[in-house]
Amino acid sequence: ELAAKETVVCGQNEHWMKTSEVMGEVDKQSIALQKGCTVAREIRKNVFDVLGFTLSAGVSINKTMAKLAGSYGKPNGQAMILPSAFSEVLENIEIRKVRNLGGKVGKRVQDLLPPDKTKMGSIARLLSLHDLSEALGGEIGEQVFNACRGIDFEPVKETQGALTKSITAFKSFPRTGVDESRK
């Protein structure tokens, strides 16, 4: 069942349990994240019950990290990234996978790094705020500097009347026994 699927928790520590279990004493941020997981699970369940569509969801303390968490929950689940896991997650995430870094800005950042350094953690280790601001401009440089550390001050905004960006549909077919690569 869709709602029974547990949340994948990145950065789980002794204060966190499976999201279906009762939490011990934790701070306000942890409680807010827990509530976010509950809301996400309920939305996913309701969409599935009404429309028959599965969704993935990401929960964290800011927009960038929540979007990254959503990729851990795919194709039909949800994930939460705790602040304690930010550096580990970013150490292993490709620069182009991060919000606002998939296009020209990401390419410019990548050009500042050695060719074999393609992860967000490389930015944090190898480029200073000065380096990024000089190459990208002050505001964008600061945003990239913060992003590679899991910091994002951009507020989540309600969008009314926005068109859906994408819907993916697919059909899996059984193997035919014909090896397409040999044709």
Side-chain angles (χ1 to χ4, degrees):
E1 179 180 292
L2 179 73
K5 188 167 183 177
E6 295 295 337
T7 302
V8 174
V9 180
C10 302
Q12 193 164 16
N13 62 32
E14 66 277 359
H15 295 294
W16 283 90
M17 301 175 208
K18 290 181 180 175
T19 56
S20 61
E21 297 174 358
V22 178
M23 288 177 48
E25 196 154 321
V26 292
D27 60 35
K28 289 180 182 181
Q29 185 178 71
S30 298
I31 292 168
L33 289 168
Q34 177 71 23
K35 287 179 180 180
C37 288
T38 301
V39 169
R41 187 172 34 258
E42 286 302 309
I43 290 170
R44 291 176 50 249
K45 181 184 181 320
N46 289 339
V47 169
F48 183 78
D49 290 348
V50 173
L51 302 173
F53 296 134
T54 59
L55 306 173
S56 60
V59 178
S60 194
I61 64 166
N62 64 50
K63 203 173 188 177
T64 296
M65 298 310 289
K67 287 184 82 67
L68 290 174
S71 65
Y72 284 99
K74 288 187 178 193
N76 176 24
Q78 62 188 56
M80 171 177 51
I81 302 177
L82 298 172
S84 61
F86 285 4
S87 61
E88 183 180 346
V89 168
L90 291 166
E91 189 63 40
N92 297 300
I93 289 286
E94 293 285 332
I95 293 168
R96 61 185 169 73
K97 297 285 187 181
V98 176
R99 187 174 71 87
N100 298 328
L101 295 178
K104 293 176 186 175
V105 173
K107 171 80 172 95
R108 287 170 54 201
V109 170
Q110 189 62 64
D111 289 344
L112 299 172
L113 295 167
D116 63 329
K117 304 296 182 188
T118 61
K119 311 282 186 181
M120 288 296 288
S122 298
I123 301 170
R125 281 191 319 280
L126 301 173
L127 299 174
S128 68
L129 176 58
H130 176 78
D131 295 335
L132 291 165
S133 295
E134 196 169 272
L136 307 171
E139 186 176 334
I140 294 173
E142 186 174 350
Q143 287 172 355
V144 172
F145 182 82
N146 287 334
C148 70
R149 290 163 174 76
I151 300 167
D152 183 358
F153 298 112
E154 185 178 341
V156 176
K157 300 175 199 140
E158 183 177 351
T159 55
Q160 294 181 339
L163 296 175
T164 303
K165 287 187 178 179
S166 67
I167 294 178
T168 303
F170 65 90
K171 175 70 176 165
S172 296
F173 295 100
R175 294 184 63 102
T176 62
V178 176
D179 185 357
E180 292 295 324
S181 65
R182 294 185 184 181
K183 285 187 175 183

